[in-house]
Amino acid sequence: MELTGRVVVLTGAAHGIGAAMARRFATEGAAGVVVSDVDTAGAERVADEITAAGGRALALAADATSKKDLKALVAAAREEFGPVDLFCANAGAAFGTGVHAADEQWAKSWELNVMQHVHAAQVVLPTMLARGEGYLLLTASAAGLLGTPGDAPYSVTKHAAVGLAEWLAITYRPRGVRVSALCPLGVRTALLEPGIAAGHPAALAIAAAAPLLEPEDVAEAVVHGLGKEEFLILPHESVRESFARKAGAIDTWIDEMAVQGG
């Protein structure tokens, strides 16, 4: 997908990777960028930056776990810019807890890290299929391929997100709708940096696995991956090698990860 002239909707776009993607898509010539987040002020700042730079953007408050809110985003994008070409389900959550995490943390992880993507697909697929084209970008994580010691809800739900993306790609690629799963390792965002500062095992394991990237680095990888229509967009190339090694020797992989988690 070339982004010039495309209409893009992003969730979780007030900060971090989402904000970096929104800015980058605008510089690539997107016809319009809908910047959504529960942080309304943050979304407005990003949209204002895009507009000030000569792009077209609209900021909207939205809860990415709400199918109603996602429908409203798509409707607003269509009214302001035209039909949605690319929907980036980017919002996410991590709690740094194990299998004994509170029920509320498990529920929130499923709602945001999995069901957000389900609802997004339900909302945009009918129009995309009718047009015979469209793109879904699901922000998962390298944790969805490799696991994350110390954070059970995050690891489990990110695996589910990758599985959903794969199912969507298998089902809808023949009908013109492309799907990518974005799976970075460590990125300098508010999702990871507090955990590193606190010495949390999951955050430290991620930081030790590969150099931390800036959100702008991830946005660059996304533009490249969308251009090639890659299913797995891997800003850290080492993830591809690790994923292959895991598949070839899963017991060895588990032993290695267990040492990191200890």
Side-chain angles (χ1 to χ4, degrees):
M1 167 175 277
E2 296 297 327
L3 288 158
T4 303
R6 301 292 189 172
V7 176
V8 185
V9 175
L10 304 98
T11 64
H15 308 280
I17 293 172
M21 288 196 296
R23 296 187 191 100
R24 183 57 194 273
F25 294 162
T27 64
E28 288 291 316
V33 180
V34 176
V35 182
S36 76
D37 204 289
V38 291
D39 178 0
T40 308
E44 290 174 347
R45 281 194 298 272
V46 174
D48 288 345
E49 290 172 11
I50 291 171
T51 303
R56 300 179 68 201
L58 176 66
L60 292 172
D63 177 354
T65 68
S66 167
K67 188 174 180 179
K68 179 181 178 181
D69 282 10
L70 298 183
K71 284 183 177 179
L73 290 180
V74 171
R78 182 170 58 246
E79 181 176 351
E80 187 77 13
F81 305 121
V84 175
D85 297 297
L86 170 63
F87 193 106
C88 303
N90 174 73
F95 297 102
T97 49
V99 73
H100 297 292
D103 291 347
E104 293 79 7
Q105 292 177 328
W106 275 108
K108 186 66 173 180
S109 295
W110 279 108
E111 290 171 5
L112 200 51
N113 296 345
V114 182
M115 293 308 298
Q116 169 195 190
H117 304 306
V118 174
H119 296 323
Q122 291 171 339
V123 168
V124 299
L125 275 172
T127 301
M128 288 182 174
L129 291 170
R131 296 170 63 202
E133 66 171 352
Y135 215 118
L136 283 164
L137 176 69
L138 283 61
T139 298
S141 168
L145 300 172
L146 308 177
T148 305
D151 197 328
Y154 188 76
S155 180
V156 170
T157 55
K158 290 302 186 179
H159 272 78
V162 173
L164 173 64
E166 181 181 38
W167 186 92
L168 290 169
I170 290 169
T171 304
Y172 295 109
R173 182 183 288 181
R175 299 176 65 182
V177 178
R178 296 296 192 258
V179 180
S180 292
L182 173 59
C183 298
L185 261 172
V187 183
R188 295 188 188 279
T189 68
L191 192 68
L192 178 63
E193 289 187 305
I196 294 175
H200 190 278
L204 294 178
I206 291 171
L212 296 182
L213 297 181
E214 298 297 332
E216 291 74 19
D217 298 325
V218 178
E220 172 69 25
V222 169
V223 170
H224 180 74
L226 293 176
K228 296 177 66 176
E229 297 188 350
E230 296 176 323
F231 173 69
L232 286 179
I233 297 179
L234 305 176
H236 297 82
E237 187 57 35
S238 61
V239 171
R240 195 180 312 276
E241 301 166 4
S242 296
F243 188 42
R245 188 160 58 86
K246 172 186 174 181
I250 185 65
D251 289 296
T252 300
W253 180 262
I254 290 172
D255 288 340
E256 292 175 358
M257 293 294 279
V259 171
Q260 291 183 33

